[in-house]
Amino acid sequence: MRITLGERTEDTAAVYFRRAQSPAIRRMLPQRAATLEEALADFRETQEPGAKSFGRTVYADGQYVGDVWCYCMDPAGDPQAMVSYCMFEQALWGRGIASEALGLFLEEVRGRFGLERIGAFTFMENAGSIRVLEKNGFRLEEAFTEDGVASGYYLRASI
């Protein structure tokens, strides 16, 4: 399967928001935007000069299947950004798409923004997400419980 990254647009942001509302995704990926309008406002913010976030769409054999993004970007920070991803096309879960997409994305943000220390949060019950992070060189830095949910903070020290 050929995995590529594409530009995020207002249209893809709307598709992403609608597709990411499935119960299986919402259980594993907390989402800030509660409405489509909020999601589109968040997207527009990423398009402003000096934005602290950057994202890409993920395609598998030309089909839009998810998104990957950095937020809290600060080249002087530690970590320099946080990363997240969601493959909303559930029929393709477990095929390595998120792992490959994250690898491509990390290469891009290193080249584009000079980011080398990237963090990520995931729920400890999300074995798939943990595999994606570990395949891309992230290591568990801290396990903690938040709001009764076992979670982990992962760090990739050099991308």
Side-chain angles (χ1 to χ4, degrees), residues 12 16 31 34 58 62-63 65 67 81 97 110 124 128 153 155:
T12 61
Y16 173 84
Q31 299 173 37
V58 178
Q63 178 186 354
V65 298
D67 280 17
I97 294 167
R110 181 175 189 221
M124 297 309 289
Y153 168 64
L155 180 68

Side-chain angles (χ1 to χ4, degrees), residues 71 79 81-83 85 102 117-127 129-144 150-157:
Y71 59 98
M82 299 297 292
V83 70
Y85 44 86
L102 181 57
R117 292 181 56 83
I118 307 288
F121 290 106
T122 192
F123 295 144
M124 297 309 289
E125 72 178 69
N126 191 343
S129 183
I130 291 169
R131 278 192 306 274
V132 168
L133 292 169
E134 290 176 345
K135 284 181 180 180
N136 279 282
F138 286 80
R139 298 293 171 249
L140 181 64
E141 291 288 307
E142 180 184 357
F144 58 95
S151 301
Y153 168 64
Y154 284 75
L155 180 68
R156 180 165 173 179

Side-chain angles (χ1 to χ4, degrees), residues 52-68:
K52 299 292 183 195
S53 62
F54 171 75
R56 302 286 270 157
T57 52
V58 178
Y59 292 84
D61 289 338
Q63 178 186 354
Y64 177 36
V65 298
D67 280 17
V68 59

Side-chain angles (χ1 to χ4, degrees), residues 6-134:
E7 296 295 323
R8 290 187 78 231
T9 65
E10 197 162 303
D11 287 340
T12 61
V15 169
Y16 173 84
F17 177 80
R18 286 192 292 273
R19 296 293 306 274
Q21 299 309 303
S22 80
I25 292 172
R26 292 187 63 81
R27 193 176 90 249
M28 293 295 172
L29 181 67
Q31 299 173 37
R32 190 173 80 81
T35 66
L36 176 59
E37 292 74 23
E38 289 174 350
L40 292 176
D42 288 347
F43 166 75
R44 289 182 200 108
E45 203 172 283
T46 70
Q47 304 303 296
E48 297 295 323
K52 299 292 183 195
S53 62
F54 171 75
R56 302 286 270 157
T57 52
V58 178
Y59 292 84
D61 289 338
Q63 178 186 354
Y64 177 36
V65 298
D67 280 17
V68 59
W69 62 94
C70 277
Y71 59 98
C72 297
M73 292 170 47
D74 178 4
D78 190 16
Q80 295 168 307
M82 299 297 292
V83 70
S84 197
Y85 44 86
C86 176
M87 300 305 113
F88 56 70
E89 190 59 56
Q90 295 176 46
L92 298 177
W93 286 2
R95 295 190 182 181
I97 294 167
S99 293
E100 188 172 339
L102 181 57
L104 292 170
F105 183 74
L106 292 171
E107 288 176 24
E108 182 172 347
V109 297
R110 181 175 189 221
R112 184 181 276 213
F113 302 106
L115 304 178
E116 300 217 5
R117 292 181 56 83
I118 307 288
F121 290 106
T122 192
F123 295 144
M124 297 309 289
E125 72 178 69
N126 191 343
S129 183
I130 291 169
R131 278 192 306 274
V132 168
L133 292 169
E134 290 176 345

